[in-house]
Amino acid sequence: MHGLINRSIQQYVSHTYGRPIWEQITTNAGLDFSDFEGMLRYARSYTPDLLQSAEEVLGRPRGDIMEDIGAFLVCHPGFEAVRRLLRFGGVDFVDFMHSLDDLDDRVRLAVPDLILPKVELQVCADGHFSLICDASIKGYGHVMMGVLRAMADDYGALALLEHSQGRAAGTEMVSITLVENDFAEGRAFSLAAGVP
């Protein structure tokens, strides 16, 4: 598994709950180290082991933890590059949602060996969408739900989100009801590097 995934879990837990809790999670997961390097590759089992341990140590459901990780990746100042990559998807939340189909390709432009699970946006009716997520990483739909929640806030949109198992095996689905695309003023964003 790519180190950026495990590093993101580490950053979320350390910033939200503190370093001692992160070390407790890694110990509980059976790891003899607690720091992940973003550009290295690790055994595929580490990620589910870390998430299982986080669920036990934090006393929270895994889906909630993964949703919070998705939002953390967009909102935390240390991950501004993620927000910028996502904001290049469009001028408003609807444009952004339509750009998600090629998210894995855009990510590979920045990090060539990081392969994200595929997602596909389906337009169901006026203001209603479904994001179908490949669940090769179990719970990835929850991560995308956190990303969508944070990006709706970022764009100033009001959207209702609901996670469910996908209709096909190995998929998860996020149902999106867009109540209002221009509900509030979004966060400032500029295409120029170094400008919020």
Side-chain angles (χ1 to χ4, degrees), residues 72-93:
F72 177 84
L73 291 173
V74 175
C75 298
H76 192 273
F79 287 89
E80 184 62 28
V82 174
R83 177 184 176 242
R84 291 187 59 73
L85 179 74
L86 294 171
R87 282 297 297 253
F88 277 112
V91 297
D92 63 16
F93 187 62

Side-chain angles (χ1 to χ4, degrees), residues 35 47 66 147 182:
D35 289 315
T47 304
M66 294 183 79
V147 168
D182 295 317

Side-chain angles (χ1 to χ4, degrees), residues 85-104:
L85 179 74
L86 294 171
R87 282 297 297 253
F88 277 112
V91 297
D92 63 16
F93 187 62
V94 173
D95 282 351
F96 163 73
M97 286 192 298
H98 283 286
S99 77
L100 289 174
D101 289 348
D102 66 349
L103 178 61
D104 59 322

Side-chain angles (χ1 to χ4, degrees), residues 23-31 49 52-54 56-57:
E23 290 175 355
Q24 186 180 349
I25 287 170
T26 57
T27 300
N28 191 50
L31 302 180
D49 290 349
Q52 178 65 38
S53 179
E56 293 165 3
V57 171

